[in-house]
Amino acid sequence: MYRWSLLANSYIYHNNIKKYSVGFSTDLLLTKKYLNLLLLQSFADESNMSNRSQHTIKDIAVALGLSASTVSRALNDHPHISQETKQRVREAVEKLDYRRNALAANLRTSKSNIIGLIVPRISMFFLSSVITAIQNKLHEFGYNLMVCQSNDSQVLEKELVNAMYASRVDGLIVSATLSTEDFSHFDIFSRRNIPLVFFDRIPRNYPAHKIQGDDYQGGYQTTLHLLEQGCRRIAFICGPLTSNLYQDRYAGYQNALKKYAVAVDEQIIFFHELSKGNALKDCDILFAQAPYPDAVFACNDTSAIAVVEHAKAKQIKVPEVLKVAGYSNDPRTQIIDPAITSVEQFPLEVGTQAAALVMDLIQQKTMPGRNFISLTTPVDLVKRTSSGA
Amino acid sequence: MYRWSLLANSYIYHNNIKKYSVGFSTDLLLTKKYLNLLLLQSFADESNMSNRSQHTIKDIAVALGLSASTVSRALNDHPHISQETKQRVREAVEKLDYRRNALAANLRTSKSNIIGLIVPRISMFFLSSVITAIQNKLHEFGYNLMVCQSNDSQVLEKELVNAMYASRVDGLIVSATLSTEDFSHFDIFSRRNIPLVFFDRIPRNYPAHKIQGDDYQGGYQTTLHLLEQGCRRIAFICGPLTSNLYQDRYAGYQNALKKYAVAVDEQIIFFHELSKGNALKDCDILFAQAPYPDAVFACNDTSAIAVVEHAKAKQIKVPEVLKVAGYSNDPRTQIIDPAITSVEQFPLEVGTQAAALVMDLIQQKTMPGRNFISLTTPVDLVKRTSSGA
DNA sequence: ACAGTAACTGCAAACGTTTGCAGAAAAAAC
DNA sequence: GTTTTTTCTGCAAACGTTTGCAGTTACTGT
C-alpha cells in the first residue's frame, strides 16, 4: 500500500510538470486513468480494513491527481468545476468512504451550522413540543440543534451559554431560568451580533429578540371565564413574580377581577415554585376554614391537577362546588376526570417561529438597524368540565 | 489602537532579542510592565466597543509579551507554566474577554467533547426523562450533548448519523427508528472505534453496545398479573415486530399464557404502530361481537388510555368487566380514573447508565477486546386500579 | 568556575478545510 | 495567427488551537 502511495505522489508530481510545460498525450491520459483506478482500489482496500486513518480531502485529491482545492470545490458544487471532475470526485468519495470534517470546515468559515437551545427542563410537555418544532424547522435549512437544559439553575445556565459560544453556535434560542434576573452572560452573543432569541421565559429589560405567549390574555380570559361561570372567590396559584410569565398572568387575573368589581384578596393568592407539593399545601390552607374559594386558577397544569386530586380526596365536587383551571394544556388535563380547563399555548407554532426568526437573522433578512423583534403569540382558552363548561 | 498593536509587536520583538542575547535590566522590566498595562487597557477598550474581532490566544500572547503556546498551556493549567504567568494570563483573559474557540481546539485534538444522541421523538415521556439523565451525567464529565430526533424516519436517522459524524462527536447514543432494520449507516462509528451505544430500541444482530429494558419480563409479569386476576381472554395490542421491544414483550405475553395453559388467540392480538387512533380501532373490533376480552394489555400507555376511554364511552366497567394494562408508566396513567397498571422502565437509570457507559468507553476503562456490552435494566410492574389491584 | 538539573518558555508544525488570486488550456473573436 | 474570453484548476495562505522538541534561564551542588 505504502508503495502505491509513493508512486502516486511521484506520478502526479510528474503529471503536473508535464501538464504545465508540454500537455498530455492521449496515452499518458490513459495511463493516468489506469493508475488512478488502481490507486482508488488500493485506497479503498485500506479504508475497509483499517480504522486508523480517516481520509481527507487531500487523499481524494492525490488519488484523483487533483488538488485539494478542486476537490473541495467539487464537493461544494462550485460552478467553476467541470461536471466530469465533479463526477469523478463523487465516485472517489464513495469508494474511499470519505467523510467531511465539519470541525475543520467550520473553523475555516467560522460558522458551525449549529443552533444552540437552552431550556430549563426538556421533559415539560410545552418545552419538548417546542423543541420538536424548532428542530424540524432548522432541519429544513440544513442546521442542527444542540439542546441543553439548565435545570432551572442560573449557574448552569451561564456555564451552558459559555459552552455554546465556545462551540461557536450560529444562533442561540433560550427559555431562561425562572430566577434569572441578570442576563449579562448573554452579552457575548449580543456584542458579537450572533442571533439571540428568547422565548417563553424572556427577560423584561434585556435588549434581544423575544417571543412570548400572550400571558396577559391567558390570565385575563381564564379569570373572566371563571367569573362568568359565577365564581367570585377565585384563588390564584402563581409562580414567582421574577418571571415575566407570572407577572403577566397575574396582571390579567387582577384586571379581570376589576372588571367584575371583585376585590383582590391576597389571602387566596400564592406565589411560589409551581409543584404538586406546593399546590397541595395551598389547598390545605384554602380549605382550612371558611370562606372557601369557589374556584382555583393555577398557573400550570401540574398544580391544577393537584388541586383536582385534593378536591377528590376531600369530596369537594368539581365543578359544582369548586371550579378549576390550569395553564399550558398539558395532555394530562384532557385525561383526568373531570377534564381541566386550560390555556393552549401552541408550542409547535412558537417553536417554528423561533427557529424561523433565527434563520431570518442569520440570513440577514431581518435586521432593521438595532431594532429587536418582540413577538407575542396568541393563546387559546380551552374550556372543559372542571370549570363547568 | 492600531498604533498600539504595532508598537506592541515591535517592542516585544525587541524584547526577545534582548532576552536571548543580553537579559533584562530592571528598568527594562518595569518599562515592559507599564507598556503591557497600557496595552491591556487599549485592547480591552476595543473589545468593549467593537464586536468585529474576537480575541484569540495570540492577542493575549502579544498583550502579555508571551508566546501563544505559553498562553495555551497556561489556560490548560499545564504544570510547566509558572503560577505567576498563569495568573497574568487569567487577568488578561478577563480583561480582554477572551473566549476559547472550541472549533479550533477540537480540530487540533480531533475530539469535540460532544456526545450525540438520536431518538425517535423527544416528547415521549420515557425518552425525555432519559435525555435529562444523560445530559446531567455527561455534564459531570464536562461533555455536552447534541440531541436530534429522527421522527421515526429511517432516512432522517441516516442523515443525522452522518451529520453527527461530520461534527466528530466523541460518542453516539441511539434509540433507533421502529422500522430500522439495516443498521449499516452506523458502521462508520464502529469502524472508527467511536463509542456507540444503543438503548431501548436496539438492533438485534448488529454488533454494538446495547442497553435495553427487560421487555420480556415486562410482558411476562404483566400478563401473569392479569391471569392471576382471573382473566383468560387477554387481548394484546402490540407494536410492529420489527422492533426488539415488541418481540420481547410478545414473547413474554405468550409464555405467561402458556404457563396458565391459555391458548394464544390471534384474533385478539394486534400488531401496528401504537397510536390512539389504532387502539380505538382495535377496540371496535374487540367489542363488535362476543366473546369479549376480559382484559387488554397494550404495549404503550397511549393505547392503554385509549382503551380505558373507549370502555368508559361504551359503559364497560374497568376493572370489573375489563382489566387494562399499559407500558412505560407515563404520568398520565396515574391521573386517569381508573389509574392504569403499567410497567415502570426507570428512564433515569437507563439514561445514567448509557451516559456512564459512553464515558467509560471514551476513557477506555471498558474495552475487553472486541466484546460488546449488553446491559438489561430491570423493569417493575406497577399495579393499579385498572387491573383490579 | 563549571557541569548538571530543574523550571519555564518559544518555535514551528500540525489539524482539514475554504478561498482569493493567478495561471493554463480551450474556445471564441478578431 | 494573434488576441480575448471562457472555463477550469492549482497555489498558498488562512482559521485558532495544541504539542513535540529545543532552547533559555535559574538553581544546585561541587
Side-chain angles (χ1 to χ4, degrees):
Chain A
M1 182 51 228
Y2 188 55
R3 252 183 20 251
W4 272 114
S5 277
L6 269 186
L7 181 50
N9 275 316
S10 65
Y11 174 72
I12 278 151
Y13 178 64
H14 181 63
N15 242 2
N16 288 349
I17 298 289
K18 280 283 189 202
K19 204 168 163 189
Y20 288 129
S21 52
V22 184
F24 284 136
S25 71
T26 319
D27 60 86
L28 234 178
L29 267 172
L30 278 179
T31 313
K32 186 184 160 197
K33 265 201 175 146
Y34 176 64
L35 258 179
N36 282 338
L37 219 77
L38 276 176
L39 276 171
L40 263 180
Q41 195 50 54
S42 43
F43 266 94
D45 285 352
E46 185 191 42
S47 93
N48 282 338
M49 286 161 50
S50 101
N51 52 16
R52 246 171 315 157
S53 69
Q54 348 182 1
H55 286 125
T56 73
I57 235 175
K58 191 139 198 169
D59 295 324
I60 299 200
V62 169
L64 248 38
L66 290 172
S67 75
S69 32
T70 301
V71 175
S72 169
R73 278 188 263 252
L75 288 172
N76 294 327
D77 206 28
H78 190 286
H80 281 180
I81 303 295
S82 71
Q83 286 308 317
E84 191 213 336
T85 304
K86 284 180 187 172
Q87 186 54 36
R88 288 177 62 214
V89 168
R90 267 195 294 272
E91 282 164 12
V93 162
E94 190 68 26
K95 213 149 201 163
L96 300 189
D97 192 30
Y98 160 81
R99 307 297 184 116
R100 166 174 208 269
N101 186 329
L103 254 42
N106 293 344
L107 173 60
R108 174 57 221 244
T109 58
S110 58
K111 63 190 291 291
S112 62
N113 263 273
I114 296 179
I115 303 295
L117 173 64
I118 301 180
V119 293
R121 316 213 86 92
I122 222 173
S123 50
M124 291 167 56
F125 173 74
F126 172 74
L127 289 177
S128 66
S129 304
V130 172
I131 296 174
T132 301
I134 291 178
Q135 205 213 304
N136 291 344
K137 190 72 188 177
L138 290 183
H139 188 256
E140 287 175 21
F141 291 83
Y143 275 76
N144 278 108
L145 183 64
M146 182 153 162
V147 184
C148 288
Q149 52 189 343
S150 60
N151 291 341
D152 247 325
S153 142
Q154 291 178 77
V155 300
L156 186 50
E157 179 180 273
K158 189 167 178 177
E159 226 176 284
L160 292 174
V161 172
N162 288 331
M164 293 277 185
Y165 183 77
S167 297
R168 297 297 189 270
V169 295
D170 293 337
L172 186 61
I173 306 179
V174 183
S175 174
T177 290
L178 269 185
S179 49
T180 308
E181 295 194 75
D182 173 19
F183 285 80
S184 59
H185 46 293
F186 293 104
D187 286 356
I188 184 73
F189 281 86
S190 328
R191 264 212 306 279
R192 302 283 202 261
N193 229 338
I194 303 169
L196 172 63
V197 173
F198 289 92
F199 76 96
D200 195 38
R201 304 182 183 178
I202 62 170
R204 267 267 180 276
N205 300 313
Y206 189 82
H209 304 282
K210 303 167 189 173
I211 299 181
Q212 60 181 324
D214 197 340
D215 290 292
Y216 174 82
Q217 279 300 319
Y220 185 77
Q221 297 294 347
T222 309
T223 312
L224 212 59
H225 168 62
L226 292 171
L227 287 162
E228 284 164 356
Q229 297 294 103
C231 305
R232 286 299 177 272
R233 189 164 171 77
I234 304 175
F236 190 53
I237 300 182
C238 192
L241 285 186
T242 43
S243 168
N244 63 297
L245 300 180
Y246 306 122
Q247 290 169 15
D248 291 355
R249 292 178 198 174
Y250 185 43
Y253 168 78
Q254 288 175 309
N255 275 0
L257 288 185
K258 188 183 280 178
K259 185 171 177 191
Y260 270 66
V262 174
V264 173
D265 181 356
E266 309 253 334
Q267 299 292 319
I268 55 172
I269 300 180
F270 304 88
F271 298 103
H272 50 59
E273 198 193 331
L274 296 172
S275 66
K276 180 172 177 174
N278 282 339
L280 290 175
K281 272 186 226 158
D282 298 343
C283 288
D284 285 338
I285 298 175
L286 285 172
F287 295 102
Q289 57 183 47
Y292 303 125
D294 50 11
V296 179
F297 175 17
C299 276
N300 78 355
D301 289 321
T302 302
S303 304
I305 290 166
V307 172
V308 167
E309 289 184 335
H310 176 96
K312 272 192 198 173
K314 291 286 169 69
Q315 320 269 21
I316 303 169
K317 292 225 170 199
V318 178
E320 293 80 356
V321 177
L322 181 71
K323 299 194 177 23
V324 179
Y327 210 106
S328 288
N329 205 17
D330 185 291
R332 289 172 298 167
T333 58
Q334 310 173 43
I335 279 169
I336 196 170
D337 183 37
I340 300 177
T341 293
S342 192
V343 178
E344 169 64 48
Q345 298 178 291
F346 303 103
L348 297 181
E349 280 73 10
V350 171
T352 307
Q353 294 233 16
L357 176 52
V358 169
M359 288 294 101
D360 262 21
L361 290 168
I362 284 178
Q363 297 168 2
Q364 305 283 4
K365 279 185 205 157
T366 318
M367 202 62 202
R370 282 315 259 160
N371 295 342
F372 290 106
I373 290 174
S374 186
L375 227 59
T376 303
T377 59
V379 295
D380 191 22
L381 178 63
V382 183
K383 300 172 186 170
R384 299 203 178 88
T385 323
S386 75
S387 63
Chain B
M1 182 51 229
Y2 188 56
R3 251 185 19 254
W4 274 113
S5 277
L6 268 187
L7 182 48
N9 275 315
S10 64
Y11 175 71
I12 279 153
Y13 179 64
H14 181 61
N15 243 359
N16 287 348
I17 298 288
K18 279 283 190 203
K19 205 169 164 188
Y20 288 129
S21 53
V22 185
F24 284 135
S25 72
T26 319
D27 61 85
L28 235 178
L29 266 172
L30 279 178
T31 314
K32 187 184 159 198
K33 267 202 175 147
Y34 177 65
L35 258 179
N36 283 338
L37 219 78
L38 276 176
L39 276 172
L40 263 180
Q41 195 50 54
S42 44
F43 266 94
D45 285 354
E46 184 192 41
S47 95
N48 283 337
M49 287 160 49
S50 100
N51 53 15
R52 245 171 316 157
S53 70
Q54 350 182 0
H55 286 125
T56 73
I57 235 176
K58 190 137 198 172
D59 294 326
I60 299 200
V62 169
L64 247 38
L66 290 171
S67 75
S69 31
T70 302
V71 174
S72 169
R73 278 188 263 252
L75 288 172
N76 294 327
D77 206 29
H78 191 286
H80 281 180
I81 303 295
S82 70
Q83 286 308 316
E84 191 214 334
T85 303
K86 283 181 185 171
Q87 185 54 36
R88 288 178 62 214
V89 169
R90 267 194 294 272
E91 282 164 12
V93 162
E94 191 66 26
K95 211 148 201 163
L96 300 189
D97 192 31
Y98 160 82
R99 309 296 184 116
R100 167 173 208 271
N101 186 328
L103 254 43
N106 294 344
L107 173 59
R108 175 58 221 246
T109 59
S110 57
K111 63 190 290 291
S112 62
N113 265 273
I114 296 178
I115 302 296
L117 173 64
I118 302 179
V119 293
R121 315 213 87 93
I122 223 172
S123 51
M124 291 167 57
F125 173 74
F126 172 73
L127 289 177
S128 66
S129 304
V130 172
I131 296 174
T132 301
I134 291 178
Q135 206 213 304
N136 291 343
K137 189 74 189 175
L138 290 183
H139 188 256
E140 288 175 22
F141 291 82
Y143 275 75
N144 278 107
L145 184 65
M146 183 153 162
V147 185
C148 287
Q149 52 189 345
S150 60
N151 291 341
D152 249 324
S153 140
Q154 291 179 78
V155 300
L156 186 49
E157 180 180 271
K158 188 167 178 176
E159 227 176 282
L160 292 174
V161 172
N162 288 331
M164 293 278 183
Y165 182 77
S167 298
R168 296 300 187 269
V169 293
D170 293 337
L172 186 61
I173 306 179
V174 183
S175 175
T177 290
L178 270 185
S179 49
T180 308
E181 295 194 74
D182 173 19
F183 285 80
S184 60
H185 45 294
F186 292 103
D187 286 356
I188 185 74
F189 281 86
S190 329
R191 266 212 304 278
R192 302 283 202 262
N193 229 339
I194 303 169
L196 172 62
V197 174
F198 289 91
F199 76 97
D200 196 39
R201 305 184 183 176
I202 61 170
R204 266 270 181 275
N205 301 312
Y206 188 82
H209 304 281
K210 302 166 188 173
I211 299 182
Q212 60 180 323
D214 196 341
D215 289 292
Y216 174 82
Q217 279 299 320
Y220 185 76
Q221 298 293 348
T222 308
T223 312
L224 212 58
H225 168 63
L226 291 171
L227 288 162
E228 285 164 357
Q229 295 295 102
C231 304
R232 288 297 177 275
R233 190 166 171 77
I234 305 174
F236 190 53
I237 300 183
C238 193
L241 285 186
T242 44
S243 167
N244 63 297
L245 300 180
Y246 305 121
Q247 290 169 14
D248 292 354
R249 292 178 199 173
Y250 184 42
Y253 166 79
Q254 288 175 307
N255 275 0
L257 288 185
K258 188 182 279 177
K259 183 170 178 192
Y260 270 66
V262 174
V264 173
D265 181 357
E266 308 253 336
Q267 299 291 318
I268 54 172
I269 300 179
F270 304 87
F271 299 103
H272 50 58
E273 199 193 329
L274 296 172
S275 66
K276 182 173 175 173
N278 282 340
L280 290 175
K281 270 186 228 159
D282 298 343
C283 289
D284 283 339
I285 298 174
L286 285 172
F287 295 103
Q289 56 184 47
Y292 302 125
D294 49 13
V296 178
F297 175 17
C299 276
N300 79 356
D301 288 322
T302 301
S303 304
I305 290 167
V307 171
V308 168
E309 289 184 335
H310 176 94
K312 272 192 198 175
K314 291 286 169 70
Q315 318 270 22
I316 304 169
K317 291 226 168 196
V318 178
E320 294 81 355
V321 176
L322 180 72
K323 300 194 176 24
V324 179
Y327 211 105
S328 289
N329 205 17
D330 186 290
R332 288 172 297 168
T333 57
Q334 311 172 42
I335 280 169
I336 196 170
D337 184 37
I340 300 178
T341 294
S342 193
V343 178
E344 169 64 48
Q345 298 178 292
F346 303 103
L348 297 181
E349 279 73 10
V350 171
T352 307
Q353 296 233 17
L357 177 53
V358 169
M359 289 294 101
D360 262 22
L361 290 168
I362 284 178
Q363 297 168 2
Q364 304 284 5
K365 281 186 206 157
T366 318
M367 205 60 204
R370 282 313 259 160
N371 295 342
F372 289 107
I373 290 174
S374 187
L375 227 59
T376 303
T377 60
V379 297
D380 191 23
L381 178 63
V382 183
K383 300 171 185 171
R384 299 204 179 88
T385 323
S386 74
S387 62

